[in-house]
Amino acid sequence: MSNKLVYKKHILTRGISIISITLILIVWTVSTNLKWVDPVFLPTPQSVWKAFLELIRDGYKGASLSTHILNSLYRLFLALILAVFTAVPLGIFCGISKYILAIFDPIIEFYRPLPPLAYYALLVLWLGIDDKSKVALLFLSAFAPLFISTVSSVQHVPQERINGALSLGASKPKVLLYIILPSCLPDIITGFRTAIGVTYATLVAAEMVAATSGIGWMVLDASKYLRSDIVFVGIILMGGIAILMDGIIRLYQHIQFSWVGKQD
């Protein structure tokens, strides 16, 4: 497929996405301004914009909007960093050794399908109501998908690559560093994208208990007072931040692993 054709398809898909978003905004504007929907349930775009400006100017409940966003991102990124530095090495070793996998796999498979709030009460009991329990909850949410993707990617490294390196005199540590890890990186990055999505969705649950800041807490608190305009601002901000983070990772994948799928 020529680069020109690929570029045209890219422009076409972008155009379709823009049209789709524009239609949603038009329907939202018309339906709310004509009072087809109760503004308590669906505020007008104008009121959401005013609420956004109000949050920028005055903040929410004694903290600026940037403080709420940064507090949420701090909890999120700390949990993700901890997950990367534990799930990836453990996943590599579990992918290499079935015996190590037999130790950890039942534990992870047990807690992985559990709803986060099901064990959040235990985390609060063990770690308290401050950020420790929240970061622990987000860490556990990120750990499982990252671990599983790492194990799977290691197990699917072509054996001929490993045998070829060993036959040329490479030691096992060098095979791990120069063959297995580079082969697994694309799948690990994909698992990291999944982990971000799962963890971000858990963020609101993590900020439900005894939090006084954070974008998720702001949305939940505003809903108690039927401030749907602030709720919509928070949801749009969370969605925008998630799209931005995912876009950065996808760009990195495109630049760093453009060879994926073209080896044949």
Side-chain angles (χ1 to χ4, degrees), residues 9-23:
K9 286 190 174 183
H10 177 74
I11 294 298
L12 179 61
T13 54
R14 290 298 182 187
I16 293 172
S17 297
I18 292 171
I19 292 172
S20 175
I21 294 171
T22 302
L23 287 175

Side-chain angles (χ1 to χ4, degrees), residues 63-126:
S64 65
L65 180 60
S66 60
T67 298
H68 287 295
I69 294 173
L70 290 174
N71 284 346
S72 289
L73 293 181
Y74 164 76
R75 295 161 183 153
L76 180 71
F77 284 122
L78 180 57
L80 288 172
I81 290 170
L82 291 173
V84 168
F85 281 97
T86 53
V88 173
L90 183 61
I92 290 174
F93 287 115
C94 287
I96 295 173
S97 171
K98 292 182 179 180
Y99 301 106
I100 300 176
L101 180 62
I103 296 172
F104 293 99
D105 189 61
I107 302 171
I108 295 169
E109 286 299 322
F110 172 77
Y111 93 81
R112 181 177 63 86
L114 295 176
L117 288 179
Y119 52 84
Y120 191 26
L122 284 176
L123 294 176
V124 171
L125 183 63
W126 294 338

Side-chain angles (χ1 to χ4, degrees), residues 45 48 105 135 180 248 263:
V48 172
D105 189 61
V135 171
I180 295 177
I248 292 172
Q263 299 95 314

Side-chain angles (χ1 to χ4, degrees), residues 27-210:
V27 172
W28 179 17
T29 302
V30 171
S31 61
T32 52
N33 281 278
L34 292 179
K35 306 298 183 183
W36 294 348
V37 184
D38 191 325
V40 172
F41 301 109
L42 184 64
T44 64
Q46 301 95 300
S47 63
V48 172
W49 176 251
K50 288 179 181 177
F52 176 62
L53 296 178
E54 174 190 330
L55 289 171
I56 292 177
R57 184 181 67 250
D58 303 326
Y60 186 81
K61 294 294 182 71
S64 65
L65 180 60
S66 60
T67 298
H68 287 295
I69 294 173
L70 290 174
N71 284 346
S72 289
L73 293 181
Y74 164 76
R75 295 161 183 153
L76 180 71
F77 284 122
L78 180 57
L80 288 172
I81 290 170
L82 291 173
V84 168
F85 281 97
T86 53
V88 173
L90 183 61
I92 290 174
F93 287 115
C94 287
I96 295 173
S97 171
K98 292 182 179 180
Y99 301 106
I100 300 176
L101 180 62
I103 296 172
F104 293 99
D105 189 61
I107 302 171
I108 295 169
E109 286 299 322
F110 172 77
Y111 93 81
R112 181 177 63 86
L114 295 176
L117 288 179
Y119 52 84
Y120 191 26
L122 284 176
L123 294 176
V124 171
L125 183 63
W126 294 338
L127 302 175
I129 60 176
D130 58 6
D131 277 355
K132 291 180 183 178
S133 59
K134 297 172 179 57
V135 171
L137 180 68
L138 298 176
F139 165 77
L140 291 172
S141 299
F143 185 92
L146 197 51
F147 172 83
I148 291 170
S149 65
T150 302
V151 172
S152 177
S153 62
V154 172
Q155 292 175 340
H156 286 87
V157 174
Q159 189 62 39
E160 55 267 23
R161 293 184 190 174
I162 299 174
N163 293 337
L166 291 173
S167 66
L168 292 173
S171 62
K172 288 185 178 180
K174 286 187 175 181
V175 170
L176 175 62
L177 185 62
Y178 294 108
I179 303 297
I180 295 177
L181 186 59
S183 299
C184 295
L185 273 179
D187 290 330
I188 291 174
I189 297 297
T190 300
F192 183 65
R193 286 180 60 194
T194 304
I196 287 178
V198 174
T199 308
Y200 204 74
T202 311
L203 183 62
V204 175
E207 294 179 343
M208 283 179 65
V209 179

